[in-house]
Amino acid sequence: MAGDDHHELTRVGDLPEVCLAHAIALTSPRDACRCAAVSPAFRAAADSDHVWRRFLPPEHRAAIVVGPPPKQSPGSTKDAYLRLCDAGAAVDVGGEGSGMRMWLDKASGAKCYKLSARALSLPWDDGELSWRWTSHPLSRFRDVAELVECTSLDIYGRLPAAELTPATSYAAYLVYGVAEGHRGLSYPDQETTVALAGDRVAAAAPPRHAVCLHPDEAEARKFRAVSRGTGPEEPRRPRLREDGWSEMEMGRLRTPGGDGKEAGEEEVVVSFEVLGWYPKRGLIVEGVEFRPVN
């Protein structure tokens, strides 16, 4: 004859907070926020410092105070994570005052970077008057580069692949504006590339993408004879951002990692080139951004 006693089931929410926190730390920031809405027990675990310290990059974890917070605490580790997502931080890759900013993608925790115009390689074929450095009210950098006049326009940027989050798909964007009196920015003979370069990477030609920084069919028709064109691909068009800048996707790649191999000395290399040799002016370069593709 069976007894009247019954066994209570142990539910996930009955686990100690430290166990829940350890499991949630293995997910993503987005999943942690979803877990916080399940129950009070999940909320306490999902908001714990253990979880959000895991989502911070290693170089920023050391700045987080471990233990009971002081009376004038700057906030929890989750607060520090959100500040790094919203405000970012100035970084100096290579120790040469390169002019870069890093922030985190709020949903995935992947690192994002912006290289300032000072960190890019700009053409100076016509002497120092090709570009001028000037401040800009929309820029978070000290100055931006404005194209005064040139005929050969090519812009290059490099970032160590190890600075980006491993095994992550990224897109690179040229962030720019156009000044009054611009010229030569509307012709369909502009190309961009994004590639991974290094000792372990095969030297293959990266895919080239046709773009047009300032689409203007009326201006483009005036210079059909000097435009070389970029082939059958329809040129990519820019997107106007909420911060007032325009951005053009230059290309995509996936960073090394996830297979036991580190990035090593590999670099992400981006380029923007105009193929036609005609006068160009009025391009305002703010920088190049690397953001994960969600």
Short mmCIF file of all heavy atoms in Angstrom, two decimals, residues 9 13 79 88 100 111 165 173 182 219 230:
data_model
loop_
_atom_site.label_atom_id
_atom_site.label_comp_id
_atom_site.label_asym_id
_atom_site.label_seq_id
_atom_site.Cartn_x
_atom_site.Cartn_y
_atom_site.Cartn_z
N LEU A 9 9.17 18.70 -5.96
CA LEU A 9 10.06 18.88 -7.11
C LEU A 9 10.92 20.11 -6.92
O LEU A 9 10.45 21.14 -6.45
CB LEU A 9 9.24 19.01 -8.39
CG LEU A 9 8.41 17.79 -8.80
CD1 LEU A 9 7.59 18.11 -10.05
CD2 LEU A 9 9.30 16.59 -9.05
N GLY A 13 14.10 27.82 -10.29
CA GLY A 13 14.10 28.99 -9.43
C GLY A 13 14.46 28.70 -7.99
O GLY A 13 14.72 29.64 -7.22
N ASP A 79 25.71 48.62 -14.14
CA ASP A 79 25.75 50.05 -14.48
C ASP A 79 27.01 50.39 -15.28
O ASP A 79 26.97 51.16 -16.24
CB ASP A 79 25.69 50.91 -13.22
CG ASP A 79 24.36 50.79 -12.50
OD1 ASP A 79 23.35 50.50 -13.18
OD2 ASP A 79 24.33 50.97 -11.27
N GLY A 88 30.94 54.77 -24.04
CA GLY A 88 32.20 54.27 -24.56
C GLY A 88 33.39 54.84 -23.81
O GLY A 88 33.25 55.48 -22.77
N MET A 100 41.10 56.69 -30.98
CA MET A 100 40.05 55.69 -31.19
C MET A 100 39.10 55.71 -30.00
O MET A 100 39.45 56.14 -28.90
CB MET A 100 40.63 54.29 -31.34
CG MET A 100 41.63 54.12 -32.46
SD MET A 100 42.14 52.38 -32.61
CE MET A 100 43.51 52.53 -33.75
N LYS A 111 32.68 44.03 -28.75
CA LYS A 111 33.36 45.33 -28.77
C LYS A 111 33.17 46.01 -30.12
O LYS A 111 33.25 45.38 -31.16
CB LYS A 111 34.84 45.16 -28.46
CG LYS A 111 35.11 44.71 -27.03
CD LYS A 111 36.54 44.98 -26.62
CE LYS A 111 37.53 44.12 -27.33
NZ LYS A 111 38.91 44.31 -26.82
N THR A 165 36.02 41.44 -30.88
CA THR A 165 35.56 40.22 -30.22
C THR A 165 35.78 39.02 -31.15
O THR A 165 35.40 39.07 -32.33
CB THR A 165 34.07 40.35 -29.87
OG1 THR A 165 33.89 41.49 -29.01
CG2 THR A 165 33.56 39.11 -29.17
N TYR A 173 32.19 50.70 -41.42
CA TYR A 173 31.44 51.82 -41.97
C TYR A 173 32.33 53.06 -42.04
O TYR A 173 33.00 53.41 -41.06
CB TYR A 173 30.22 52.15 -41.11
CG TYR A 173 29.26 51.00 -40.92
CD1 TYR A 173 29.45 50.08 -39.89
CD2 TYR A 173 28.16 50.83 -41.75
CE1 TYR A 173 28.58 49.02 -39.70
CE2 TYR A 173 27.28 49.78 -41.58
CZ TYR A 173 27.50 48.87 -40.55
OH TYR A 173 26.62 47.83 -40.37
N HIS A 182 30.97 71.07 -52.34
CA HIS A 182 31.64 69.80 -52.62
C HIS A 182 31.67 69.54 -54.12
O HIS A 182 30.88 70.08 -54.90
CB HIS A 182 30.91 68.67 -51.91
CG HIS A 182 29.49 68.47 -52.41
ND1 HIS A 182 29.20 67.71 -53.52
CD2 HIS A 182 28.32 68.96 -51.96
CE1 HIS A 182 27.90 67.72 -53.72
NE2 HIS A 182 27.33 68.47 -52.79
N GLU A 219 24.77 65.64 -61.30
CA GLU A 219 26.20 65.92 -61.33
C GLU A 219 26.95 64.78 -61.99
O GLU A 219 27.91 65.00 -62.74
CB GLU A 219 26.73 66.14 -59.90
CG GLU A 219 28.20 66.55 -59.89
CD GLU A 219 28.76 66.66 -58.47
OE1 GLU A 219 28.16 66.09 -57.55
OE2 GLU A 219 29.80 67.32 -58.33
N THR A 230 32.35 50.98 -61.99
CA THR A 230 32.79 49.89 -61.12
C THR A 230 32.17 48.55 -61.50
O THR A 230 32.15 47.64 -60.70
CB THR A 230 32.42 50.21 -59.66
OG1 THR A 230 31.01 50.46 -59.59
CG2 THR A 230 33.16 51.41 -59.15
#
